[in-house]
């Protein structure tokens, strides 16, 4: 019971960061009307959150190691709450975009701190696997709860409610942290890697920004090429600095841990593929099947149940199949579910016809998510879990940004000049093509799993016995 209460609070942190990925989407049309966004500028409601979130994750993770995980958890909650309050009160596009940026910064601090606390408060083995399962389930519930709450709150109270709902949650989380989370023992001795922080954060932020807007500008346009070149130069400088620094922001030697490097590869592929599928499901529900916001939220219960089941099953599979076997199985199930979904998309289809693919996809995604993050933390010293959490979260965000940009380009290529029923048919075909491409890329996740030694299974079993 003593370990359950802090785990519930950490689950709340996971749910809050996941919630915002979907809760705002369904409110976007009303936000555009009331606040005055043009069709072009409306995308910044999403991008203003995604860019700082992706860019500052690595810094947020390292600060958790150096400053203290509980301190950063509280700071993340407060930043998220302030950003949410400002977002609900915003009366102009500029103010709302600024509020979303504060939310993104709060999420970048909160997510790695939450993950690092889960990893360090529970011993490697069965206790940590169970804690990671709860963390993953809370994140999965946040995604679907966001879609459902977004529709309900917008319909009943208006779009500001999708922001205000976070305020009491973050306030309660910040206060509860002092009572139930392990206290920080003090600041870590050592100089802060300011050059690494500046180049790494700027480089990752620039990369996420360029990916997010490359399709809009044109991948070969001057703006896109300049953004990618600047991001590449900054990231090259970051790697050079990290290789020479005595107190690096991201110790490159951590990638020498085969568990961490394999997890990074698997998380990248997951971000490129399975992480993007819910976006295309939302389009199919609303633009092809004609669901409203509430119906779309309810439709996500199918994949959510699959994800939750995958999270729970992975805890039982890891000691039996090992991390290598469980990760391989999870990728194959996720790819199979994505293929089944793609084959089920059609203008005349029904939710019942999608259900098998939704559940299978969700099962694979749930198995993968839990296993990847357990894998990433395996064999890492407690004092560097924040850095690994930041790395894993950064790879996931960068991968999902890149995957979404590529897959959206695939889905939208045949829509020009169409109207009426032709748009619905072309949309369904485009979404089907995007899911087939995602499935094809997803197979690369097996390669990441195969880089793990076969001894991983025996190691996992011995860890379970020691636990």
């Amino acid at each position: 019971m003593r370990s359950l209460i802090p785990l519930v609070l950490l689950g709340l942190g996971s749910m809050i960061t996941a919630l915002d990925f979907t809760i705002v989407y369904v409110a976007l049309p009303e936000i555009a009307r009331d606040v005055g966004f043009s069709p072009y500028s409306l995308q910044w409601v999403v991008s203003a959150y995604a860019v700082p979130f992706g860019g500052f994750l690595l810094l947020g993770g390292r600060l958790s190691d150096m400053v203290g995980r509980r301190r950063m958890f509280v700071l993340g909650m407060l930043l998220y709450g302030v950003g949410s309050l400002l977002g609900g009160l915003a009366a102009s596009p500029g103010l709302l975009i600024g509020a979303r940026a504060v939310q993104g910064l709060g999420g970048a601090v909160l997510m790695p701190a939450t993950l690092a606390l889960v990893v360090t408060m529970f011993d490697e083995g069965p206790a940590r696997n169970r804690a990671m399962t709860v963390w993953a389930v809370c994140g999965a519930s946040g995604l679907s709860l966001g879609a459902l709450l977004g529709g309900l709150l917008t319909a009943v109270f208006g779009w500001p409610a999708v922001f205000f709902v976070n305020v009491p949650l973050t306030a309660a989380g910040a206060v509860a942290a002092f009572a139930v989370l392990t206290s920080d023992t003090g600041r870590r001795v050592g100089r802060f890697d300011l050059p690494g922080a500046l180049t790494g954060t700027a480089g990752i932020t620039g990369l996420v920004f360029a990916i997010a807007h490359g399709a809009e500008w044109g991948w070969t346009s001057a703006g896109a090429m300049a953004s990618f070149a600047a991001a590449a130069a900054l990231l090259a400088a970051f790697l050079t600095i990290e290789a020479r620094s005595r107190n690096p922001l991201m110790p490159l030697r951590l990638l020498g841990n085969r568990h961490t490097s394999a997890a990074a590869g698997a998380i990248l592929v997951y971000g490129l593929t399975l992480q993007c599928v819910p976006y295309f499901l939302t389009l199919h529900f609303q633009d092809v099947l004609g669901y409203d916001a509430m119906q779309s939220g309810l439709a996500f219960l199918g994949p959510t149940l699959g994800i939750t089941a995958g999270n729970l099953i992975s805890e039982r599979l890891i000691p039996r199949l090992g991390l290598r076997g469980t990760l391989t199985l999870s990728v194959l199930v996720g790819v199979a579910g994505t293929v089944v979904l793609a084959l089920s998309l059609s203008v005349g289809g029904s939710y019942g016809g999608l259900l098998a693919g939704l559940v299978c996809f969700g099962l694979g995604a749930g198995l993968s998510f839990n296993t990847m993050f357990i894998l990433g933390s395996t064999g890492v010293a407690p004092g560097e879990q924040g850095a690994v959490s930041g790395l894993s979260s950064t790879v996931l965000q960068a991968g999902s940004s890149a995957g979404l940009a590529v897959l959206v380009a695939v889905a939208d290529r045949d829509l020009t000049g169409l109207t009426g029923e032709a748009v619905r048919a072309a949309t369904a075909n485009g979404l089907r093509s995007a899911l087939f491409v995602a499935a094809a890329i997803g197979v690369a996740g097996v390669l990441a799993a195969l880089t793990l030694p076969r001894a991983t299974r025996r190691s996992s079993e011995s860890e379970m016995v020691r636990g």
Side-chain angles (χ1 to χ4, degrees):
M1 185 66 181
R2 293 172 63 184
S3 62
L4 177 62
I5 295 175
L7 187 54
V8 170
L9 178 58
L10 296 174
L12 174 65
S14 175
M15 187 187 73
I16 286 174
T17 52
L19 190 75
D20 206 76
F21 280 104
T22 52
I23 195 170
V24 174
Y25 286 166
V26 294
L28 286 176
E30 191 167 329
I31 289 174
R33 288 193 300 269
D34 288 359
V35 184
F37 282 93
S38 67
Y40 168 78
S41 61
L42 186 61
Q43 65 179 321
W44 279 102
V45 178
V46 177
S47 296
Y49 176 86
V51 171
F53 181 83
F56 283 84
L57 279 167
L58 196 59
L59 177 59
R62 195 54 172 168
L63 287 175
S64 293
D65 289 334
M66 299 189 68
V67 178
R69 298 179 184 96
R70 189 174 74 174
R71 293 187 185 100
M72 297 305 289
F73 180 89
V74 172
L75 177 61
M77 282 284 188
L78 293 177
L79 283 172
Y80 211 95
V82 169
S84 298
L85 179 62
L86 294 175
L89 296 173
S92 69
L95 291 176
L96 185 55
I97 288 171
R100 289 288 284 163
V102 175
Q103 276 190 311
L105 184 59
V109 172
L110 180 61
M111 184 174 181
T114 302
L115 180 55
L117 280 163
V118 172
V119 170
T120 55
M121 290 180 68
F122 297 88
D123 294 333
E124 193 169 290
R128 182 182 295 176
N129 292 353
R130 183 155 300 166
M132 290 288 287
T133 298
V134 173
W135 175 79
V137 168
C138 289
S141 66
L143 289 173
S144 290
L145 186 61
L148 186 57
L149 275 179
L152 177 63
L153 292 173
T154 301
V156 177
F157 300 106
W159 68 264
V162 304
F163 293 98
F164 288 144
V165 70
N166 290 322
V167 177
L169 294 176
T170 53
V175 172
F178 291 103
V180 303
L181 295 183
T182 303
S183 60
D184 298 316
T185 56
R187 289 174 175 81
R188 184 173 173 178
V189 178
R191 297 181 61 186
F192 181 67
D193 180 19
L194 182 59
L198 292 175
T199 54
T201 301
I204 296 168
T205 301
L207 180 63
V208 173
F209 177 86
I211 291 171
H213 296 281
E216 171 197 338
W217 296 338
W219 295 108
T220 58
S221 66
M225 297 296 286
S227 296
F228 279 114
L234 286 165
L235 290 174
F238 169 70
L239 292 175
T240 301
I241 291 168
E242 297 308 278
R244 299 175 179 177
S245 176
R246 293 183 178 180
N247 299 284
L249 181 73
M250 177 63 235
L252 299 181
R253 57 182 167 73
L254 292 178
L255 294 175
N257 178 348
R258 294 180 69 177
H259 296 90
T260 301
S261 57
I267 290 170
L268 176 62
V269 174
Y270 180 92
L272 289 167
T273 57
L274 298 187
Q275 180 84 350
C276 301
V277 171
Y279 173 83
F280 296 102
L281 290 178
T282 301
L283 293 180
H284 185 71
F285 292 149
Q286 296 188 1
D287 295 347
V288 178
L289 298 184
Y291 291 178
D292 59 25
M294 180 69 73
Q295 291 171 320
S296 296
L298 290 171
F300 272 100
L301 290 176
T304 299
L305 291 175
I307 291 171
T308 302
N311 293 151
L312 297 173
I313 292 170
S314 65
E315 183 188 351
R316 302 295 183 91
L317 284 181
I318 289 172
R320 291 171 171 79
L321 301 181
L323 290 168
R324 186 178 193 264
T326 305
L327 184 58
T328 302
L329 176 64
S330 70
V331 171
L332 294 176
V333 173
V335 167
T338 304
V339 171
V340 173
L341 265 180
L343 294 172
S344 305
L345 300 185
S346 65
V347 173
S350 65
Y351 187 75
L354 294 172
L355 195 56
L358 290 173
V359 173
C360 186
F361 153 75
L363 185 63
L367 285 168
S368 295
F369 197 86
N370 206 26
T371 306
M372 292 183 309
F373 281 93
I374 290 173
L375 177 63
S377 66
T378 299
V380 178
E384 294 178 326
Q385 288 290 352
V388 170
S389 299
L391 172 65
S392 299
S393 303
T394 299
V395 171
L396 178 62
Q397 182 63 21
S400 61
S401 296
L404 196 58
V406 171
L407 296 176
V408 165
V410 172
D412 291 349
R413 71 183 190 280
D414 296 327
L415 298 180
T416 305
L418 299 179
T419 58
E421 284 299 308
V423 173
R424 292 179 64 205
T427 298
N429 290 334
L431 297 178
R432 187 183 304 114
S433 297
L435 292 186
F436 277 133
V437 171
I441 298 172
V443 176
V446 175
L447 300 179
L450 294 179
T451 64
L452 289 167
R454 293 184 181 274
T456 300
R457 175 180 178 181
R458 292 191 293 273
S459 298
S460 296
E461 290 170 344
S462 64
E463 287 162 5
M464 298 291 282
V465 172
R466 288 201 305 270

